[in-house]
Amino acid sequence: MGIFLESRGHMELISMSDGSMQREMSKDAMAPLELLRESKSSIEEIISRMLSIKNQGLPKSENRELLTQMFLNFINLRQANRAILMEEERVRRERESSKSPMDLTSLQLHNLTYEKSHYLKATRSSREFKSKYPNIDLISEQDFFRDAPEAIKSQTLSNDASHDLMLKRLNFELHQRKEVCKLRAELEQRKNCLLEANSERAKFLSSLPLHLKSLKKASLPVQNQLSLPNPKKLKYHDLAELLPPPLYVVYSKFMAQKEAFEEKIDIEVSGSLKDAQSYARQQAELNQESSDDDGKRQRKRLKKESSDEAGLYRVHPLKLVLHIYADETPDPKSHKLVMLKFEYLLKLNVVCVGIEESQDGPERNILCNLFPDDAGLEPPHQSTKLILGDDHAFDESRTSRPYKWAQHLAGIEVLPEMSLFVTGKNNTQNSDTASVSDHYSVQTVLRRIRAQKKG
C-alpha cells in the first residue's frame, strides 16, 4: 500500500505540473506513464478479486497467486516511478540550461530600460533648462565685428549662423577677460614695486630726524660764529606769545638776565600748543562778548563756577621750565643744579613754582626756605583768599606752590593786608635789600637757589 500511495503521489505531482512541462516531454517519457496506469489498474483488479474471495468465503489458495501478481505490479510501479523521476530531472536540467540565457536577456532588457529612462530624463532636463541666452551681457555685435581679431571671427564653430555668432562672441569675451587678467597681474606687480619703494622711503624718512638733529648740532658752532639766532630760541619766542601775561613777564625777565649778564640758565616753554591756541581763541571770544549783556551774564556764570573746587587749580596749557646751572664750572651745562617749573593757575590768578623731577615733597625742597615766611601755603593776595573760601587753605598735595617771590617775578602786585604804619614795621624787611623789588629780583632768586642747592 505504501508503494501504491507513493506512486499515486507522483501521479498527483505530474497532474499539478504546468502544461509547458507536459509539452516538453518526449514520446519515450509516455511509456512509464502507461506502465503506471496499467500497473494501477491491475493492482485495483487484484485487490477487488481478493476482497470478493474473502466476502464470498471461497478458498484462499488463489490469494497466493494474486499476491505474486500484486508484487510484480509493485515492481512495475517502482520502475515507472524511477523512470518518471529521471525524466523529471532531465527536464529540470534542460529548463535550467534554457533559463540562464533568458535571465541574461532579462538583465539586458532592464539595463536598456534604465538607460532609456536616464536619457529621457537628461533630454527633458536639457529641454526645460532656462539659460540667460540670449540675454547674456556681452559686447554688441557691432563692437565684436569692429574689435574682434580675425582669428576669432574666421572660425566656424556651428552650422547654425546665430549659434556660431554667439560662440564667437563668447570666445572674444573670454579673450578680453584673459587680457584684463594679464593687465591686473602687471598692475599688481607694479603695486608691489611701489610698496617696496614707499617702505624704503618711509625708512629713510623715519631716520631723517636723527640726521637732521645731528646736522643741526653740527651747525651750532657756525651759527654762534656768525651770530645767527638759535632756532630753538626762536621757537620759544613764538610759543611765548601764547603765554599768559604773568608767565610772559617771568620769561622776559629771565631771558633779559641771561642776555645781559650771561647768566648760566636756560628757560624753555613747554606744553600743548593746540590747547594753548584753543584757550587763546576762547579768551578772545569772551573779551568780544564782554560789551554785551550776554557777556555780563557769562562773566557772572564764570564767577559762580570759579567756586567749584574742580576748576580752582586749572592750569594754563603752557608752562615755563627753568634750568639753573652751577656758576663756577668752566662748562656750566655739564653740571645742572636744579630745574624749576612755573605754572599759572587761571582761576586763582597766581604763579606756582615747583622743582621738576624731584623725589622730595613740596615741604622738604629748597623753595620752602628760600625766603623767610614764604612756605607757599598761604595765598599771596586777598582775591585768592576770597576764591578759596573761609579756610584760605591751598592744596598741600600739589608739587608746585604760589610763593610770594614768584608773584613779584611775574609782576603780580601783592599788597599787605594792613598798612606798614599800622603794623609798626619799617619799609626794610631784610637787611640785605633796600626795597621789595630788589628783595625779589631775578638775580637774588638765582643766587639764593644756588646757595640753597649747594648747602
Side-chain angles (χ1 to χ4, degrees):
M1 289 296 291
I3 298 174
F4 172 74
L5 291 176
E6 185 180 358
S7 300
R8 188 171 182 178
H10 281 289
M11 290 181 66
E12 290 178 356
L13 290 173
I14 294 172
S15 63
M16 292 176 61
S17 61
D18 53 359
S20 61
M21 186 180 295
Q22 292 179 358
R23 287 191 300 268
E24 290 176 359
M25 288 183 178
S26 60
K27 294 181 179 181
D28 295 336
M30 297 299 294
L33 292 176
E34 293 295 333
L35 180 60
L36 184 62
R37 293 190 187 98
E38 291 179 358
S39 299
K40 175 189 174 185
S41 60
S42 179
I43 291 173
E44 289 176 353
E45 292 177 357
I46 294 172
I47 292 174
S48 300
R49 177 64 179 166
M50 292 176 67
L51 290 174
S52 63
I53 292 173
K54 181 179 179 181
N55 293 330
Q56 294 177 5
L58 297 176
K60 297 182 180 180
S61 59
E62 190 179 357
N63 288 339
R64 185 177 298 275
E65 184 180 357
L66 293 174
L67 288 175
T68 302
Q69 293 179 2
M70 183 180 292
F71 288 143
L72 291 175
N73 288 325
F74 283 159
I75 293 172
N76 293 333
L77 286 176
R78 293 292 300 272
Q79 182 180 359
N81 186 24
R82 184 168 53 253
I84 290 172
L85 292 177
M86 293 178 64
E87 182 65 21
E88 181 182 359
E89 181 66 21
R90 184 185 64 81
V91 172
R92 189 184 65 80
R93 286 196 299 268
E94 290 180 358
R95 185 187 64 184
E96 292 294 333
S97 61
S98 61
K99 185 179 178 182
S100 298
M102 185 180 66
D103 292 340
L104 180 60
T105 306
S106 299
L107 181 60
Q108 292 177 354
L109 177 61
H110 286 298
N111 291 337
L112 292 175
T113 304
Y114 177 77
E115 188 175 359
K116 176 184 176 182
S117 64
H118 174 73
Y119 287 144
L120 290 175
K121 184 178 179 181
T123 304
R124 183 170 59 255
S125 61
S126 299
R127 289 178 178 177
E128 294 177 355
F129 176 73
K130 295 181 180 180
S131 66
K132 292 184 178 180
Y133 178 82
N135 299 323
I136 301 176
D137 188 13
L138 296 177
I139 60 174
S140 61
E141 296 182 5
Q142 293 80 5
D143 296 338
F144 169 75
F145 288 113
R146 185 184 68 245
D147 300 333
E150 292 295 332
I152 296 178
K153 291 191 292 185
S154 61
Q155 293 179 350
T156 303
L157 303 175
S158 178
N159 296 327
D160 189 3
S162 60
H163 186 57
D164 182 67
L165 179 60
M166 176 57 68
L167 293 177
K168 291 179 180 179
R169 290 171 64 189
L170 289 173
N171 288 337
F172 180 56
E173 182 74 20
L174 179 62
H175 173 73
Q176 284 185 325
R177 296 191 181 189
K178 287 182 178 179
E179 293 295 329
V180 171
C181 290
K182 291 181 181 178
L183 179 61
R184 180 178 178 274
E186 294 177 359
L187 293 177
E188 287 287 342
Q189 186 177 3
R190 183 181 177 187
K191 174 186 174 183
N192 295 332
C193 295
L194 292 176
L195 289 176
E196 292 178 359
N198 288 338
S199 62
E200 293 178 358
R201 294 177 181 177
K203 291 180 181 178
F204 173 74
L205 290 177
S206 62
S207 62
L208 188 60
L210 297 177
H211 297 294
L212 292 177
K213 187 176 181 180
S214 60
L215 181 62
K216 182 179 178 181
K217 186 176 181 180
S219 64
L220 287 177
V222 179
Q223 293 180 6
N224 296 332
Q225 187 69 24
L226 299 177
S227 300
L228 296 177
N230 192 347
K232 191 174 183 180
K233 184 178 179 181
L234 295 177
K235 175 185 175 182
Y236 292 150
H237 286 348
D238 294 337
L239 288 176
E241 296 179 358
L242 298 174
L243 288 171
L247 290 185
Y248 186 82
V249 173
V250 175
Y251 177 78
S252 61
K253 286 185 177 181
F254 279 107
M255 288 298 298
Q257 181 74 18
K258 178 181 179 181
E259 293 177 358
F261 300 102
E262 296 183 357
E263 193 71 46
K264 298 175 181 180
I265 59 174
D266 281 332
I267 187 165
E268 300 176 356
V269 182
S270 63
S272 175
L273 175 62
K274 184 177 179 180
D275 295 342
Q277 292 174 345
S278 177
Y279 177 76
R281 285 195 296 268
Q282 292 177 3
Q283 291 298 112
E285 293 175 358
L286 186 61
N287 293 333
Q288 186 178 0
E289 294 176 357
S290 61
S291 59
D292 302 333
D293 294 338
D294 295 338
K296 294 179 181 179
R297 289 194 294 269
Q298 180 75 7
R299 288 196 300 275
K300 290 181 180 179
R301 184 176 63 84
L302 293 175
K303 188 175 181 180
K304 291 180 180 178
E305 290 179 355
S306 64
S307 61
D308 187 10
E309 187 176 357
L312 285 179
Y313 301 100
R314 182 186 174 192
V315 182
H316 192 272
L318 297 181
K319 63 181 180 180
L320 296 179
V321 179
L322 178 65
H323 302 270
I324 302 176
Y325 302 96
D327 54 354
E328 69 275 3
T329 56
D331 188 7
K333 293 188 178 181
S334 62
H335 182 60
K336 184 188 296 184
L337 293 178
V338 69
M339 184 167 58
L340 303 183
K341 176 182 66 175
F342 291 81
E343 296 177 338
Y344 178 66
L345 303 185
L346 299 173
K347 298 294 183 181
L348 300 180
N349 190 27
V350 293
V351 175
C352 295
V353 186
I355 298 179
E356 191 80 0
E357 300 178 359
S358 175
Q359 302 295 333
D360 299 331
E363 67 280 355
R364 299 180 59 185
N365 58 36
I366 61 175
L367 300 180
C368 294
N369 302 319
L370 198 61
F371 290 95
D373 298 330
D374 191 8
L377 296 177
E378 183 180 357
H381 43 73
Q382 294 298 320
S383 61
T384 307
K385 294 180 180 180
L386 292 175
I387 295 174
L388 288 175
D390 297 335
D391 53 356
H392 301 166
F394 192 80
D395 188 4
E396 299 183 6
S397 63
R398 294 180 58 84
T399 58
S400 58
R401 292 182 176 179
Y403 300 101
K404 295 178 181 178
W405 58 268
Q407 315 310 314
H408 285 282
L409 289 180
I412 300 176
E413 295 295 335
V414 180
L415 296 176
E417 296 183 3
M418 300 184 66
S419 174
L420 297 178
F421 293 100
V422 175
T423 58
K425 293 183 179 180
N426 296 328
N427 291 335
T428 59
Q429 296 181 359
N430 195 297
S431 60
D432 295 337
T433 57
S435 64
V436 175
S437 59
D438 293 337
H439 183 66
Y440 293 124
S441 65
V442 174
Q443 189 173 6
T444 303
V445 171
L446 293 176
R447 184 175 66 251
R448 291 201 174 207
I449 290 174
R450 286 193 176 101
Q452 289 281 351
K453 191 65 179 177
K454 294 177 181 178

